[in-house]
Amino acid sequence: AQSVAQPEDQVNVAEGNPLTVKCTYSVSGNPYLFWYVQYPNRGLQFLLKYITGDNLVKGSYGFEAEFNKSQTSFHLKKPSALVSDSALYFCAVRDPRGSSASKIIFGSGTRLSIRP
Amino acid sequence: NAGVTQTPKFRVLKTGQSMTLLCAQDMNHEYMYWYRQDPGMGLRLIHYSVGEGTTAKGEVPDGYNVSRLKKQNFLLGLESAAPSQTSVYFCASSYQTASGNTIYFGEGSWLTVV
C-alpha cells in the first residue's frame, strides 16, 4: 500500500534563509509525487509535482522539490524564505498502477513558520 | 472561474441528525474525492469516484455514503451524525491523465456535531 510521511509537524525559519520541508514515501512502483499548500481557512493549492524526468522540479512561488529514488524522498525547498510562505504544507503520493491508481494519499502536514 | 464548489461552508448538527454535503466541479473532471481534515492527521480519503455512477471507499468510509449521479456532482451524506465526525471536509476533483492527475480542491466545509 502507498503511504507518505512528513516527519516534522513544524518548521521554523528566519526570513531570507533557505527552507526545507521533508517528505518520504512508500509505493510499490514509480510514484507520482505532489506538494500542496494550505493557507488558513482555505482549500489546498497545488505547488508542484514529479511525474518523470529531471529529479529537480520547480513550482509556484519559487518553491522546488528534489526527487530522490534511493532515499524515497521528495523534500520541498526554497532558497530564500518569505513571511508570506507561512502556511501548512502537504506532501502527497499516487501509485499510478493497479487498483490504487485513482487514489492520492496525503501526509499529515508540516506547518511552516517564517519569522521576520 | 468556479472550479470546485462546496456547500454548505459551515454547519452545526446534533448527534443523530443527517445531512448532505454538496460538491460541484465545472472542469469536466472524471475523478472526484471527499477528504476530511483533522488536526495532526492531515487529509484522509473518505470516498472517491472515478466516473459518473461509480464510487469507491477510501481510508475512512464508515459513517458516510456518497453518490455520483452526474459527472459534475459528488454528494457526501452523513446518515446519523456523531461527534467523531466533527471535522473540515474537502471535496476535490482531477483528470485521469498519463502525466499524473493534479487535484483541485474546494474551499472546505466546517462541520460540528454536538
Side-chain angles (χ1 to χ4, degrees):
Chain A
Q2 66 209 66
S3 66
V4 60
Q6 294 179 243
E8 301 158 316
D9 291 336
Q10 174 121 10
V11 171
N12 300 308
V13 177
E15 186 174 29
N17 283 0
L19 68 87
T20 299
V21 182
K22 296 180 180 177
C23 172
T24 59
Y25 66 89
S26 175
V27 298
S28 54
N30 292 320
Y32 291 172
L33 294 157
F34 306 82
W35 275 103
Y36 284 80
V37 59
Q38 184 182 30
Y39 298 102
N41 301 317
R42 303 295 299 274
L44 279 69
Q45 297 176 30
F46 171 76
L47 273 180
L48 52 81
K49 66 181 177 183
Y50 171 82
I51 304 301
T52 187
D54 194 348
N55 289 343
L56 185 63
V57 179
K58 294 187 184 296
S60 306
Y61 311 121
F63 283 94
E64 58 189 27
E66 186 169 10
F67 171 62
N68 188 318
K69 188 171 184 177
S70 63
Q71 297 185 3
T72 63
S73 67
F74 190 56
H75 301 331
L76 182 70
K77 300 181 180 183
K78 187 173 182 180
S80 179
L82 299 173
V83 172
S84 57
D85 292 330
S86 298
L88 188 57
Y89 290 80
F90 289 95
C91 183
V93 65
R94 173 174 168 250
D95 182 345
R97 307 177 313 167
S99 62
S100 297
S102 52
K103 296 182 188 178
I104 296 181
I105 302 299
F106 286 81
S108 57
T110 298
R111 188 163 300 281
L112 178 63
S113 178
I114 309 300
R115 60 184 183 275
Chain B
N1 200 12
V4 179
T5 304
Q6 297 178 226
T7 55
K9 192 169 180 68
F10 301 97
R11 183 75 186 269
V12 178
L13 283 179
K14 293 182 179 179
T15 297
Q17 285 185 318
S18 63
M19 76 160 294
T20 300
L21 294 175
L22 310 178
C23 178
Q25 53 94 5
D26 61 2
M27 295 172 282
N28 201 34
H29 286 166
E30 294 89 358
Y31 287 4
M32 295 188 75
Y33 313 82
W34 276 106
Y35 290 89
R36 59 177 289 172
Q37 183 178 28
D38 302 291
M41 304 192 74
L43 287 166
R44 292 182 291 170
L45 183 63
I46 304 172
H47 287 280
Y48 63 101
S49 168
V50 300
E52 181 179 324
T54 69
T55 63
K57 294 180 180 180
E59 301 172 76
V60 288
D62 294 342
Y64 305 95
N65 57 76
V66 288
S67 64
R68 184 105 181 262
L69 299 180
K70 293 183 178 181
K71 185 177 184 179
Q72 64 268 33
N73 296 333
F74 194 32
L75 279 58
L76 178 71
L78 285 71
E79 292 185 343
S80 179
S84 61
Q85 293 177 305
T86 294
S87 188
V88 184
Y89 292 85
F90 287 98
C91 179
S93 69
S94 68
Y95 289 116
Q96 164 57 356
T97 68
S99 62
N101 46 355
T102 301
I103 289 187
Y104 296 85
F105 283 84
E107 293 289 288
S109 296
W110 275 255
L111 176 65
T112 301
V113 183
V114 297

